[in-house]
Amino acid sequence: MYYFHARTAEEILAADRAGNSLVEVSLDLNISVKSWEIRDHCLVLGDDLLPVAGLEPVAGDKNKVFGWDGNAIAPIEVRADGYYKLVPTDTVPTLEINGVKMHRSKDIDPLEDARLKTELVVRPGDRVLDTCGGLGYSALFALRAGARTLVSSEKSPAVIRIREQNPWLQPGAFDWFTPEAAGRITLNHGDITRIITGLPDQEFNAVIHDPPRFTSATGDLYGRVFYGQLARVMKNGGRLFHYTGSPKKIVHQDRFIQNAMKRLDAAGFGNISFNERLQGIYAEKNKRILP
């Protein structure tokens, strides 16, 4: 699969109009940059030729990623219970659902965001739970931070379909993401609020809880019962990062995040604080005090 978006399409079209025989672009969404031959107004991709004129529609759509499999160019998108699509950035692509981006990309690079979240809670040798895997960037950086094993869950079949087409999730995209490292990930395709009830007590040293924004459909992921399950599966002293977003609500005295912190406290967490840069809550499972 080769990947295109507006910027790469514009660069290829410009090179063809200028009569250049080579163009240097990334066709794997910024994993690498290579020189590609242009011959008779076609981009040479291995044994296949892609007519450059076919990239005109791609150049006109700045918020989609397109894939070419040797036969046709098509957007990486799924229309199911909502509209899901892969969106380009200057580094890794992000996921957008019904017009809402699932990764921060405006004020922080998505890769940097994933790295900082995981390094806040993951230590070498940890067993890690990634509750809402999405495109899997947090899972990748948990491996980089030294996770011994990682359990990652994703409920949406549409997200899973898009994740499977994201080249950044393939072994080799990062130096540390080797086939051996990929073998340390267990991917669960299901609802974490149900999956977690079957996980062992005190199994995980660290939890990355990065749920979709709060709605009536996702409210259980912010609830006291689920927080209690998180505490149950975590080792004493285990570390939690819980993305909440909306830092401006803190300034305006909105009680949403404050109430989430109170529920975490009631569920058995301590050392609870809001990390403004990462827009989420850090907490540690209380260590049991022996009599």
Side-chain angles (χ1 to χ4, degrees):
M1 180 78 76
Y2 297 94
Y3 298 86
F4 300 86
H5 52 83
R7 189 175 68 249
T8 56
E10 290 167 355
E11 291 175 359
I12 294 166
L13 288 163
D16 183 53
R17 287 193 295 268
N20 297 336
S21 61
L22 293 173
V23 61
E24 191 172 89
V25 292
S26 175
L27 298 186
D28 53 14
L29 298 180
N30 301 318
I31 295 174
S32 64
V33 176
K34 298 179 181 178
S35 290
W36 304 90
E37 182 183 358
I38 298 176
R39 183 195 309 158
D40 298 327
H41 303 292
C42 290
L43 192 65
V44 180
L45 301 174
D47 295 330
D48 296 317
L49 298 176
L50 172 63
V52 171
L55 295 174
E56 292 282 1
V58 179
D61 196 329
K62 298 187 181 300
N63 290 309
K64 286 184 182 179
V65 170
F66 293 77
W68 188 70
D69 60 2
N71 296 307
I73 295 177
I76 308 297
E77 63 183 12
V78 176
R79 298 178 186 271
D81 55 330
Y83 178 44
Y84 302 72
K85 67 178 180 179
L86 207 58
V87 177
T89 74
D90 290 337
T91 55
V92 295
T94 68
L95 175 67
E96 187 175 293
I97 304 176
N98 295 330
V100 178
K101 288 185 174 62
M102 297 294 108
H103 301 89
R104 296 170 61 198
S105 58
K106 183 178 180 180
D107 54 347
I108 189 170
D109 178 81
L111 277 183
E112 180 74 356
D113 187 45
R115 181 184 69 81
L116 292 173
K117 288 176 183 176
T118 54
E119 290 182 354
L120 184 65
V121 296
V122 179
R123 306 289 182 268
D126 279 357
R127 296 184 183 275
V128 180
L129 174 64
D130 177 27
T131 64
C132 304
L135 289 186
Y137 298 143
S138 293
L140 293 180
F141 276 92
L143 292 177
R144 186 189 185 192
R148 176 172 39 163
T149 60
L150 186 139
V151 175
S152 181
S153 298
E154 175 52 50
K155 177 181 178 180
S156 169
V159 172
I160 293 166
R161 283 175 58 188
I162 288 179
R163 181 170 68 189
E164 290 171 345
Q165 298 178 75
N166 182 1
W168 284 91
L169 287 238
Q170 302 302 313
F174 298 94
D175 291 342
W176 73 87
F177 193 35
T178 62
E180 181 278 328
R184 287 185 269 140
I185 299 178
T186 298
L187 295 176
N188 290 326
H189 296 176
D191 185 343
I192 186 59
T193 63
R194 298 184 179 183
I195 290 171
I196 198 169
T197 61
L199 296 178
D201 293 355
Q202 299 195 46
E203 175 73 6
F204 301 100
N205 308 94
V207 172
I208 303 162
H209 182 41
D210 193 354
R213 64 178 179 171
F214 181 85
T215 66
S216 59
T218 63
D220 287 349
L221 293 168
Y222 296 80
R224 168 69 177 82
V225 172
F226 183 71
Y227 290 171
Q229 287 290 337
L230 288 178
R232 179 185 64 79
V233 301
M234 292 177 68
K235 296 181 183 296
N236 295 329
R239 300 164 298 277
L240 166 72
F241 177 77
H242 175 4
Y243 178 76
T244 58
S246 304
K248 291 182 180 179
K249 291 185 178 181
I250 295 291
V251 176
H252 294 103
Q253 305 302 313
D254 189 283
R255 299 194 61 81
F256 170 72
I257 295 172
Q258 295 177 27
N259 288 337
M261 295 169 76
K262 288 180 180 178
R263 289 193 294 273
L264 286 169
D265 178 77
F269 289 92
N271 195 22
I272 303 170
S273 61
F274 184 78
N275 187 309
E276 186 170 351
R277 183 181 183 191
L278 297 180
Q279 297 185 14
I281 299 168
Y282 173 85
E284 297 173 0
K285 181 181 174 180
N286 289 328
K287 296 180 179 179
R288 183 175 301 169
I289 300 176
L290 297 177

